[in-house]
Coordinates of all heavy atoms in Angstrom, one line a residue:
M1 N 88.4 37.3 51.0 CA 88.8 35.9 50.8 C 89.0 35.6 49.4 O 88.3 36.0 48.5 CB 87.6 35.0 51.3 CG 87.8 33.6 51.0 SD 86.4 32.5 51.4 CE 85.2 33.1 50.3
N2 N 90.1 35.0 49.1 CA 90.5 34.6 47.7 C 89.8 33.3 47.4 O 90.0 32.3 48.0 CB 92.0 34.4 47.6 CG 92.4 34.1 46.2 OD1 91.9 33.3 45.6 ND2 93.5 34.7 45.8
E3 N 88.9 33.4 46.4 CA 88.1 32.3 46.0 C 88.9 31.1 45.5 O 88.6 29.9 45.8 CB 87.1 32.7 44.9 CG 86.2 33.8 45.3 CD 84.7 33.4 45.2 OE1 84.4 32.3 44.6 OE2 83.9 34.1 45.7
N4 N 90.0 31.4 44.8 CA 90.9 30.3 44.3 C 91.5 29.5 45.5 O 91.6 28.3 45.5 CB 91.9 30.8 43.4 CG 92.7 29.7 42.7 OD1 92.2 28.8 42.2 ND2 94.0 29.8 42.9
D5 N 91.9 30.3 46.5 CA 92.5 29.6 47.7 C 91.5 28.8 48.4 O 91.8 27.6 48.8 CB 93.0 30.7 48.7 CG 94.3 31.4 48.2 OD1 94.9 30.9 47.2 OD2 94.6 32.5 48.7
F6 N 90.3 29.2 48.5 CA 89.2 28.5 49.1 C 89.0 27.2 48.3 O 88.9 26.1 48.9 CB 87.9 29.3 49.1 CG 86.7 28.5 49.5 CD1 86.4 28.4 50.9 CD2 85.9 27.8 48.6 CE1 85.2 27.6 51.3 CE2 84.8 27.1 49.0 CZ 84.5 27.0 50.3
D7 N 88.9 27.2 47.0 CA 88.7 26.0 46.2 C 89.9 25.0 46.4 O 89.6 23.8 46.5 CB 88.6 26.4 44.7 CG 87.2 27.0 44.4 OD1 86.3 27.0 45.2 OD2 87.1 27.5 43.2
V8 N 91.1 25.5 46.4 CA 92.3 24.7 46.6 C 92.2 23.9 47.9 O 92.4 22.7 47.9 CB 93.6 25.5 46.5 CG1 94.8 24.6 46.9 CG2 93.8 26.0 45.1
V9 N 91.9 24.6 49.0 CA 91.8 24.0 50.3 C 90.6 23.0 50.3 O 90.8 21.8 50.7 CB 91.6 25.0 51.4 CG1 91.3 24.3 52.7 CG2 92.8 25.9 51.5
L10 N 89.5 23.4 49.8 CA 88.3 22.5 49.7 C 88.6 21.2 48.9 O 88.3 20.1 49.4 CB 87.1 23.2 49.2 CG 85.8 22.4 49.1 CD1 85.4 21.8 50.4 CD2 84.7 23.3 48.5
R11 N 89.1 21.4 47.8 CA 89.4 20.2 46.9 C 90.2 19.1 47.5 O 90.1 18.0 47.2 CB 90.0 20.7 45.6 CG 89.0 21.3 44.6 CD 89.7 21.7 43.3 NE 88.8 22.0 42.3 CZ 88.2 21.1 41.5 NH1 88.5 19.9 41.6 NH2 87.3 21.5 40.6
R12 N 91.2 19.6 48.3 CA 92.1 18.6 49.0 C 91.3 17.6 49.9 O 91.7 16.5 50.2 CB 93.1 19.3 49.9 CG 94.2 19.9 49.1 CD 95.4 20.2 50.0 NE 95.1 21.0 51.2 CZ 95.4 22.2 51.4 NH1 96.1 22.9 50.5 NH2 95.0 22.9 52.5
H13 N 90.1 18.0 50.3 CA 89.3 17.2 51.2 C 88.1 16.4 50.5 O 87.4 15.7 51.1 CB 88.7 18.0 52.3 CG 89.8 18.6 53.2 ND1 90.3 17.9 54.2 CD2 90.5 19.8 53.1 CE1 91.3 18.6 54.8 NE2 91.4 19.8 54.1
L14 N 88.1 16.6 49.2 CA 87.0 15.9 48.4 C 87.6 14.8 47.6 O 87.9 14.9 46.4 CB 86.3 17.0 47.5 CG 85.7 18.1 48.2 CD1 85.1 19.1 47.2 CD2 84.7 17.7 49.3
K15 N 87.8 13.7 48.2 CA 88.5 12.5 47.6 C 87.8 11.9 46.4 O 88.4 11.3 45.6 CB 88.8 11.5 48.7 CG 87.5 10.9 49.3 CD 87.8 9.9 50.4 CE 86.6 9.4 51.0 NZ 86.8 8.8 52.3
N16 N 86.4 12.2 46.3 CA 85.7 11.6 45.2 C 85.4 12.6 44.1 O 84.6 12.3 43.2 CB 84.3 11.1 45.7 CG 84.5 9.9 46.7 OD1 85.6 9.2 46.7 ND2 83.6 9.7 47.5
L17 N 86.1 13.7 44.1 CA 86.0 14.7 43.0 C 87.3 14.7 42.2 O 88.4 14.9 42.7 CB 85.8 16.1 43.6 CG 85.7 17.3 42.6 CD1 84.4 17.1 41.8 CD2 85.8 18.6 43.2
P18 N 87.1 14.2 40.9 CA 88.3 14.2 40.1 C 89.0 15.5 40.0 O 88.4 16.6 40.0 CB 87.8 13.8 38.7 CG 86.5 13.1 39.0 CD 85.9 13.8 40.2
E19 N 90.4 15.4 39.9 CA 91.2 16.7 39.9 C 90.8 17.7 38.8 O 90.8 18.9 39.1 CB 92.7 16.3 39.7 CG 93.6 16.9 40.7 CD 95.0 16.4 40.5 OE1 95.3 15.4 41.0 OE2 95.8 17.1 39.8
D20 N 90.4 17.2 37.7 CA 90.1 18.1 36.6 C 88.6 18.4 36.5 O 88.2 19.2 35.6 CB 90.6 17.5 35.3 CG 90.0 16.1 35.0 OD1 89.4 15.5 35.9 OD2 90.1 15.7 33.8
A21 N 87.8 17.9 37.4 CA 86.4 18.2 37.3 C 86.0 19.5 37.9 O 86.7 20.0 38.9 CB 85.6 17.1 38.1
E22 N 85.0 20.1 37.4 CA 84.5 21.3 38.0 C 83.9 21.1 39.3 O 83.3 20.0 39.6 CB 83.4 21.9 37.1 CG 82.8 23.2 37.6 CD 81.7 23.8 36.6 OE1 81.6 23.3 35.5 OE2 80.9 24.6 37.1
L23 N 84.0 22.0 40.2 CA 83.4 21.9 41.6 C 82.0 22.5 41.6 O 81.9 23.7 41.5 CB 84.3 22.6 42.6 CG 83.8 22.6 44.0 CD1 83.7 21.2 44.6 CD2 84.8 23.4 44.9
P24 N 81.0 21.6 41.6 CA 79.6 22.2 41.6 C 79.4 22.9 42.9 O 79.6 22.4 44.0 CB 78.8 21.0 41.4 CG 79.6 19.8 41.1 CD 81.0 20.2 41.5
R25 N 78.9 24.1 42.8 CA 78.6 24.9 44.0 C 77.5 24.4 44.8 O 77.5 24.7 46.0 CB 78.3 26.4 43.6 CG 79.5 27.0 42.8 CD 80.6 27.2 43.8 NE 81.8 27.7 43.0 CZ 83.0 27.4 43.4 NH1 83.3 26.6 44.4 NH2 84.1 27.8 42.7
D26 N 76.5 23.8 44.2 CA 75.3 23.4 45.0 C 75.2 21.9 45.2 O 74.2 21.4 45.8 CB 74.1 23.9 44.3 CG 73.9 23.4 42.9 OD1 74.8 22.8 42.3 OD2 72.8 23.6 42.3
A27 N 76.2 21.1 44.8 CA 76.1 19.6 45.0 C 76.5 19.3 46.5 O 77.4 20.0 47.0 CB 77.1 18.9 44.1
P28 N 75.9 18.3 47.0 CA 76.3 17.9 48.4 C 77.7 17.5 48.5 O 78.2 16.7 47.7 CB 75.3 16.7 48.7 CG 74.2 16.8 47.7 CD 74.8 17.5 46.5
L29 N 78.5 18.1 49.5 CA 79.9 17.7 49.6 C 80.1 16.3 50.0 O 81.1 15.7 49.7 CB 80.5 18.7 50.6 CG 80.6 20.1 50.1 CD1 81.3 21.0 51.2 CD2 81.4 20.2 48.8
K30 N 79.1 15.7 50.7 CA 79.1 14.3 51.0 C 79.3 13.4 49.8 O 79.9 12.4 49.8 CB 77.9 13.9 51.8 CG 77.9 14.3 53.2 CD 76.7 13.8 54.0 CE 76.7 14.3 55.4 NZ 75.6 13.7 56.2
K31 N 78.7 13.8 48.7 CA 78.7 13.1 47.4 C 80.2 13.0 47.0 O 80.5 12.0 46.3 CB 77.9 13.9 46.4 CG 78.0 13.3 45.0 CD 77.2 14.2 44.0 CE 77.4 13.7 42.6 NZ 76.7 14.6 41.7
F32 N 81.0 13.9 47.4 CA 82.4 13.9 47.0 C 83.3 13.4 48.0 O 84.6 13.5 47.9 CB 82.9 15.3 46.5 CG 82.0 15.8 45.4 CD1 81.2 16.9 45.5 CD2 82.1 15.2 44.1 CE1 80.4 17.4 44.5 CE2 81.4 15.7 43.1 CZ 80.5 16.8 43.3
G33 N 82.8 12.8 49.1 CA 83.6 12.1 50.1 C 83.8 12.9 51.4 O 84.6 12.4 52.2
L34 N 83.2 14.0 51.5 CA 83.4 14.8 52.8 C 82.6 14.2 53.9 O 81.3 14.3 53.9 CB 83.1 16.3 52.6 CG 83.5 17.2 53.8 CD1 85.0 17.3 53.8 CD2 82.8 18.5 53.7
D35 N 83.2 13.6 54.9 CA 82.5 13.0 56.0 C 82.8 13.9 57.2 O 83.5 15.0 57.1 CB 82.9 11.6 56.3 CG 84.4 11.4 56.6 OD1 85.1 12.4 57.0 OD2 84.9 10.3 56.4
S36 N 82.3 13.6 58.4 CA 82.4 14.5 59.6 C 83.9 14.6 60.0 O 84.3 15.7 60.4 CB 81.6 14.0 60.7 OG 81.9 12.6 61.1
M37 N 84.7 13.6 59.9 CA 86.1 13.7 60.3 C 86.8 14.6 59.3 O 87.6 15.5 59.7 CB 86.7 12.3 60.3 CG 86.3 11.5 61.5 SD 86.6 12.3 63.1 CE 88.3 12.1 63.2
Q38 N 86.5 14.5 58.0 CA 87.2 15.3 57.0 C 86.7 16.8 57.1 O 87.5 17.7 56.9 CB 87.0 14.8 55.6 CG 87.8 13.5 55.4 CD 87.8 13.1 54.0 OE1 86.8 13.3 53.3 NE2 88.9 12.5 53.5
A39 N 85.5 16.9 57.6 CA 84.9 18.3 57.7 C 85.7 19.0 58.8 O 86.0 20.2 58.7 CB 83.5 18.3 58.1
V40 N 86.1 18.3 59.9 CA 86.9 18.9 60.9 C 88.3 19.3 60.4 O 88.8 20.4 60.7 CB 87.0 18.0 62.2 CG1 88.0 18.5 63.2 CG2 85.6 17.8 62.8
E41 N 88.9 18.4 59.7 CA 90.2 18.7 59.1 C 90.1 19.9 58.1 O 91.0 20.7 58.1 CB 90.7 17.4 58.4 CG 91.1 16.3 59.3 CD 91.6 15.1 58.6 OE1 92.0 15.2 57.4 OE2 91.6 14.0 59.2
L42 N 89.0 19.9 57.3 CA 88.8 21.0 56.4 C 88.7 22.3 57.1 O 89.3 23.3 56.7 CB 87.5 20.7 55.6 CG 87.0 21.8 54.7 CD1 88.1 22.3 53.7 CD2 85.8 21.4 54.0
L43 N 87.9 22.3 58.2 CA 87.8 23.5 59.0 C 89.1 24.0 59.5 O 89.4 25.2 59.4 CB 86.9 23.2 60.2 CG 86.8 24.3 61.3 CD1 86.1 25.5 60.7 CD2 86.1 23.8 62.5
F44 N 89.9 23.1 60.0 CA 91.3 23.6 60.5 C 92.1 24.1 59.4 O 92.8 25.2 59.5 CB 92.0 22.4 61.2 CG 91.4 22.0 62.5 CD1 91.5 20.7 62.9 CD2 90.8 22.9 63.4 CE1 91.0 20.3 64.1 CE2 90.3 22.5 64.6 CZ 90.4 21.2 64.9
D45 N 92.1 23.5 58.2 CA 92.8 24.0 57.0 C 92.3 25.3 56.6 O 93.1 26.2 56.3 CB 92.8 23.0 55.9 CG 93.7 21.8 56.1 OD1 94.5 21.8 57.1 OD2 93.6 20.8 55.3
L46 N 91.0 25.5 56.5 CA 90.4 26.8 56.1 C 90.9 27.9 57.1 O 91.2 29.0 56.6 CB 88.9 26.7 56.0 CG 88.4 25.9 54.8 CD1 86.9 25.7 55.0 CD2 88.6 26.6 53.5
E47 N 90.8 27.6 58.4 CA 91.2 28.6 59.3 C 92.6 28.9 59.2 O 93.0 30.1 59.3 CB 90.8 28.1 60.8 CG 89.3 28.1 61.0 CD 88.9 27.7 62.4 OE1 89.7 27.1 63.1 OE2 87.8 27.9 62.8
D48 N 93.5 27.9 59.1 CA 94.9 28.1 59.0 C 95.3 28.9 57.7 O 96.1 29.8 57.8 CB 95.7 26.8 59.1 CG 95.7 26.2 60.5 OD1 95.3 26.9 61.4 OD2 96.1 25.0 60.6
E49 N 94.8 28.4 56.6 CA 95.3 28.9 55.3 C 94.6 30.2 54.9 O 95.2 31.0 54.1 CB 95.2 27.8 54.3 CG 96.1 26.7 54.6 CD 96.2 25.6 53.5 OE1 96.1 26.0 52.3 OE2 96.3 24.4 53.9
L50 N 93.4 30.4 55.3 CA 92.6 31.6 54.9 C 92.6 32.7 56.0 O 92.1 33.8 55.8 CB 91.2 31.3 54.4 CG 91.1 30.3 53.3 CD1 89.7 30.1 52.9 CD2 92.0 30.8 52.1
G51 N 93.0 32.3 57.2 CA 93.1 33.2 58.3 C 91.7 33.6 58.9 O 91.6 34.8 59.3
V52 N 90.8 32.7 58.8 CA 89.4 33.0 59.3 C 89.1 32.1 60.5 O 89.7 31.0 60.5 CB 88.3 32.9 58.2 CG1 88.6 33.9 57.1 CG2 88.2 31.5 57.7
V53 N 88.2 32.5 61.3 CA 87.7 31.6 62.4 C 86.2 31.5 62.3 O 85.5 32.5 62.3 CB 88.1 32.1 63.8 CG1 87.6 31.3 64.9 CG2 89.7 32.2 63.9
L54 N 85.7 30.3 62.0 CA 84.3 30.1 62.0 C 83.8 30.0 63.4 O 84.2 29.2 64.2 CB 83.9 28.9 61.2 CG 83.7 29.0 59.7 CD1 85.0 29.2 59.0 CD2 82.9 27.9 59.2
P55 N 82.8 30.9 63.8 CA 82.2 30.8 65.1 C 81.4 29.6 65.3 O 81.0 28.9 64.4 CB 81.3 32.1 65.2 CG 81.1 32.5 63.8 CD 82.2 31.9 62.9
D56 N 81.3 29.2 66.6 CA 80.6 27.9 67.0 C 79.2 27.8 66.3 O 78.8 26.7 65.9 CB 80.5 27.8 68.5 CG 81.8 27.6 69.2 OD1 82.8 27.2 68.5 OD2 81.9 27.8 70.4
E57 N 78.5 28.9 66.2 CA 77.1 28.8 65.6 C 77.1 28.5 64.2 O 76.1 28.1 63.6 CB 76.3 30.1 65.9 CG 76.9 31.3 65.3 CD 77.8 32.1 66.2 OE1 78.2 31.6 67.3 OE2 78.2 33.3 65.9
M58 N 78.3 28.5 63.5 CA 78.4 28.1 62.1 C 78.8 26.7 61.9 O 78.9 26.1 60.8 CB 79.4 29.0 61.3 CG 78.9 30.4 61.1 SD 80.1 31.2 60.0 CE 79.2 32.8 59.7
M59 N 79.0 26.0 63.0 CA 79.4 24.6 63.0 C 78.2 23.7 62.9 O 77.8 23.0 63.8 CB 80.2 24.2 64.2 CG 81.5 25.0 64.5 SD 82.6 24.9 63.1 CE 83.7 26.2 63.5
T60 N 77.6 23.7 61.7 CA 76.4 22.9 61.5 C 76.5 22.1 60.2 O 77.4 22.4 59.3 CB 75.2 23.8 61.3 OG1 75.3 24.6 60.1 CG2 75.0 24.8 62.5
G61 N 75.7 21.1 60.0 CA 75.6 20.4 58.8 C 75.3 21.2 57.6 O 75.8 21.0 56.5
D62 N 74.4 22.2 57.8 CA 74.1 23.1 56.8 C 75.3 23.9 56.2 O 75.4 24.2 55.0 CB 73.0 24.1 57.2 CG 71.6 23.5 57.4 OD1 71.4 22.3 56.9 OD2 70.8 24.0 58.1
T63 N 76.2 24.3 57.1 CA 77.4 25.1 56.7 C 78.2 24.2 55.8 O 78.7 24.7 54.8 CB 78.2 25.5 57.9 OG1 77.4 26.4 58.7 CG2 79.5 26.2 57.5
F64 N 78.4 22.9 56.1 CA 79.2 22.0 55.3 C 78.5 21.2 54.3 O 79.0 20.3 53.7 CB 80.0 21.1 56.3 CG 81.0 21.8 57.1 CD1 80.6 22.4 58.3 CD2 82.3 21.9 56.7 CE1 81.6 23.1 59.1 CE2 83.3 22.6 57.4 CZ 82.9 23.2 58.6
A65 N 77.2 21.6 54.0 CA 76.4 20.9 53.0 C 76.9 21.0 51.6 O 77.0 20.0 50.9 CB 74.9 21.3 53.1
T66 N 77.2 22.2 51.1 CA 77.6 22.4 49.7 C 78.8 23.4 49.7 O 79.1 24.0 50.7 CB 76.5 23.0 48.9 OG1 76.3 24.4 49.4 CG2 75.2 22.2 48.9
A67 N 79.5 23.4 48.6 CA 80.6 24.4 48.5 C 80.1 25.8 48.7 O 80.8 26.6 49.3 CB 81.3 24.2 47.1
E68 N 78.9 26.1 48.1 CA 78.4 27.5 48.2 C 78.1 27.8 49.7 O 78.4 28.9 50.1 CB 77.2 27.6 47.3 CG 76.8 29.1 47.2 CD 77.9 30.0 46.7 OE1 78.7 29.6 45.9 OE2 78.0 31.2 47.3
S69 N 77.5 26.9 50.4 CA 77.1 27.2 51.8 C 78.4 27.4 52.7 O 78.4 28.3 53.5 CB 76.2 26.1 52.4 OG 76.9 24.9 52.4
L70 N 79.4 26.6 52.4 CA 80.7 26.7 53.1 C 81.4 28.0 52.7 O 81.9 28.7 53.6 CB 81.5 25.5 52.9 CG 82.9 25.5 53.6 CD1 82.6 25.6 55.2 CD2 83.6 24.2 53.3
R71 N 81.4 28.3 51.4 CA 82.0 29.6 50.9 C 81.3 30.8 51.6 O 82.0 31.7 52.0 CB 81.9 29.6 49.4 CG 82.5 30.9 48.8 CD 82.2 31.1 47.4 NE 82.5 29.9 46.6 CZ 83.7 29.5 46.2 NH1 84.7 30.2 46.6 NH2 83.9 28.4 45.6
H72 N 80.0 30.7 51.7 CA 79.3 31.8 52.3 C 79.7 32.0 53.8 O 79.9 33.1 54.3 CB 77.8 31.6 52.2 CG 77.0 32.6 52.9 ND1 76.8 33.9 52.4 CD2 76.3 32.6 54.0 CE1 76.0 34.6 53.2 NE2 75.7 33.9 54.2
A73 N 79.8 30.9 54.5 CA 80.1 30.9 55.9 C 81.5 31.5 56.1 O 81.8 32.3 57.0 CB 80.0 29.5 56.5
V74 N 82.5 31.0 55.3 CA 83.9 31.5 55.4 C 83.9 33.0 55.0 O 84.6 33.7 55.7 CB 84.8 30.6 54.5 CG1 86.2 31.2 54.4 CG2 84.9 29.2 55.0
G75 N 83.2 33.4 54.0 CA 83.2 34.8 53.6 C 82.6 35.7 54.7 O 83.1 36.7 55.0
T76 N 81.5 35.2 55.3 CA 80.9 35.9 56.4 C 81.9 36.0 57.6 O 82.1 37.1 58.2 CB 79.6 35.2 56.9 OG1 78.7 35.2 55.8 CG2 79.0 36.0 58.1
A77 N 82.6 34.9 57.9 CA 83.6 35.0 59.0 C 84.7 35.9 58.7 O 85.2 36.6 59.6 CB 84.1 33.5 59.3
A78 N 85.1 35.9 57.4 CA 86.2 36.8 57.0 C 85.8 38.2 57.1 O 86.6 39.1 57.6 CB 86.7 36.5 55.6
D79 N 84.6 38.5 56.7 CA 84.1 39.9 56.8 C 84.0 40.3 58.2 O 84.3 41.5 58.6 CB 82.7 40.0 56.1 CG 82.8 39.9 54.6 OD1 83.9 40.0 54.1 OD2 81.7 39.7 54.0
D80 N 83.4 39.5 59.1 CA 83.3 39.8 60.5 C 84.7 40.0 61.2 O 84.8 40.9 62.0 CB 82.6 38.7 61.3 CG 81.1 38.6 60.9 OD1 80.6 39.5 60.3 OD2 80.5 37.6 61.3
S81 N 85.6 39.2 60.7 CA 87.0 39.4 61.2 C 87.6 40.7 60.8 O 88.3 41.4 61.6 CB 87.9 38.2 60.7 OG 89.0 38.0 61.5
A82 N 87.4 41.1 59.6 CA 87.9 42.4 59.1 C 87.2 43.6 59.8 O 87.9 44.5 60.1 CB 87.7 42.5 57.6
V83 N 86.0 43.5 60.1 CA 85.3 44.5 60.8 C 85.8 44.7 62.2 O 86.0 45.8 62.7 CB 83.7 44.3 60.8 CG1 83.0 45.2 61.8 CG2 83.2 44.4 59.4
G84 N 86.1 43.5 62.8 CA 86.6 43.6 64.2 C 88.0 44.1 64.3 O 88.5 44.5 65.4
T85 N 88.8 44.2 63.2 CA 90.2 44.6 63.3 C 90.3 46.0 62.8 O 91.4 46.6 62.8 CB 91.1 43.7 62.5 OG1 90.7 43.7 61.1 CG2 91.1 42.3 63.0
S86 N 89.3 46.6 62.2 CA 89.5 48.0 61.7 C 89.1 49.0 62.7 O 88.7 48.8 63.7 CB 88.6 48.1 60.4 OG 87.3 47.8 60.6

């Protein structure tokens, strides 16, 4: 997974994060405006643009709590996807 691509997709859904601000890895994404509806849109964008599918068991508030928790989930899904195709 390309970390820059992940950040670009995530930032589009954080309406309260200034464009030039650093994306804190451990800050609650809700603080930056990510609500449940935007989390669903974010999920679709991550799947479409990064080519990963998050399994149902990863669809939790903990997964979408911080940038780092979401990055970890997407990375795990990408790794699982790569293992399944090799």
Side-chain angles (χ1 to χ4, degrees):
M1 170 186 68
N2 182 314
E3 300 238 352
N4 188 51
D5 291 344
F6 173 86
D7 285 353
V8 168
V9 174
L10 177 57
R11 283 179 166 277
R12 283 198 309 251
H13 296 274
L14 302 178
K15 61 185 176 193
N16 297 336
L17 180 68
E19 226 177 277
D20 58 345
E22 181 180 342
L23 175 61
R25 298 291 172 213
D26 59 350
L29 293 178
K30 285 183 179 184
K31 172 182 174 182
F32 300 112
L34 188 73
D35 60 24
S36 59
M37 290 300 291
Q38 286 188 330
V40 171
E41 291 176 20
L42 171 58
L43 171 66
F44 291 147
D45 282 352
L46 289 169
E47 289 182 343
D48 288 347
E49 295 187 35
L50 302 182
V52 299
V53 176
L54 270 74
D56 290 344
E57 60 268 12
M58 286 187 177
M59 303 300 169
T60 67
D62 288 343
T63 296
F64 290 87
T66 67
E68 190 56 38
S69 62
L70 184 56
R71 177 187 312 282
H72 176 74
V74 170
T76 299
D79 291 347
D80 290 349
S81 198
V83 169
T85 60
S86 53

